[in-house]
Amino acid sequence: MPPVTAPPVPAPYLPQRGERYRLVAPNTPTAPKIVRDFVATVLWVTGHPRLVDDARLCVSEVVSNAYCHTGSPQVRVEVTVNHRQVTVYVTDDEPGRLPAPPPPRTPSPEAGAEENGRGLLLVDALAARWGTTAYGDRSPHSKTVWFTLAATGR
């Protein structure tokens, strides 16, 4: 009887190689706009204009979540760019509950203008991949929510 082999365990996500750009912003109501503009400028200058709209939307949602759901005094943003992809990392100093991938759902017409809970659905739909990382082992002191946009399609 031939041996049965299991598929390999997926490797943990590691930061990509490329040029890195960083911004530290106060965690205030203006942070999403400031970070959107920063990320858009980085992508335009580094030759990724077709990723600008998706990146602006995704980073706005992630930074807005940090503002609305944490008491962190600041958010740190890192954008790593290479010719194949762009990864944006948003870190705050209040790990709390890590966001989980949203369950698949279709907003109902009755939902109206209510927008809560849709941000990560947008990130999930637009990003090639996304996730979270907590830092500090048993006593987490910060978390990062990251997403990657592929330069060659989703």
Side-chain angles (χ1 to χ4, degrees):
M1 183 190 288
V4 176
T5 58
V9 175
Y13 180 74
L14 299 175
Q16 69 180 18
R17 294 180 190 258
E19 297 175 352
R20 293 178 187 239
Y21 301 85
R22 294 182 176 103
L23 172 73
V24 177
N27 193 10
T28 63
T30 59
K33 180 181 180 357
I34 291 167
V35 173
R36 274 194 310 267
D37 292 348
F38 167 72
V39 170
T41 299
V42 167
L43 296 185
W44 275 106
V45 170
T46 59
H48 294 287
R50 75 173 207 70
L51 297 179
V52 169
D53 291 339
D54 288 352
R56 285 176 58 91
L57 182 56
C58 289
V59 80
S60 183
E61 293 298 338
V62 173
V63 173
S64 293
N65 280 349
Y67 173 70
C68 292
H69 303 294
T70 76
S72 181
Q74 62 186 16
V75 291
R76 293 177 302 283
V77 179
E78 181 173 301
V79 182
T80 305
V81 179
N82 66 36
H83 69 280
R84 293 176 303 154
Q85 61 189 20
V86 172
T87 302
V88 178
Y89 306 86
V90 177
T91 302
D92 66 64
D93 294 325
E94 190 175 304
R97 184 174 57 90
L98 291 174
R105 69 176 182 168
T106 303
S108 68
E110 296 82 35
E114 214 274 83
E115 306 255 338
N116 290 341
R118 294 187 186 175
L120 290 178
L121 285 170
L122 291 170
V123 173
D124 191 53
L126 296 173
R129 61 188 172 276
W130 73 278
T132 61
T133 305
Y135 301 100
D137 297 325
R138 292 185 181 152
S139 178
H141 55 78
S142 64
K143 74 172 170 298
T144 297
V145 179
W146 57 267
F147 61 88
T148 298
L149 301 172
T152 57
R154 291 184 197 131

